[in-house]
Amino acid sequence: MTEHFITATHVGDEDVVRTEAYGGVPVRWTTHKWRPEPLVDLIEQAGLRPVAELRLPADEQSGPGLVVMAKRPG
């Protein structure tokens, strides 16, 4: 059985403090944005091998997105 690691993030350089979620729900959290290359490097440093990457365009609610799937070597 092959095990995969899948993660997704918003793309960017700055963190964003959120006070409203989708639909206007009040929240308090920080969105930590990543650039694709440093995130993939971190995944590789963890001993995983990226096997797929999906870059999503920006939409009206958020900036561009990134999804990375990786697996254990071997």
Side-chain angles (χ1 to χ4, degrees):
M1 180 169 115
T2 302
E3 296 177 7
H4 287 88
F5 168 77
I6 300 174
T7 190
T9 189
H10 295 278
V11 174
D13 294 313
E14 72 285 346
D15 296 337
V16 178
V17 175
R18 305 282 183 177
T19 58
E20 186 177 289
Y22 302 105
V25 177
V27 298
R28 175 124 179 103
W29 76 66
T30 302
T31 297
H32 301 282
K33 296 182 179 182
W34 284 82
R35 288 278 165 206
E37 294 77 14
L39 181 59
V40 169
D41 287 347
L42 188 63
I43 291 168
E44 289 173 336
Q45 289 172 25
L48 302 174
R49 184 174 58 87
V51 295
E53 183 178 306
L54 174 63
R55 295 186 186 207
L56 303 165
D59 61 26
E60 294 176 11
Q61 302 248 334
S62 63
L66 171 69
V67 181
V68 179
M69 183 171 69
K71 68 177 191 173
R72 291 183 191 176

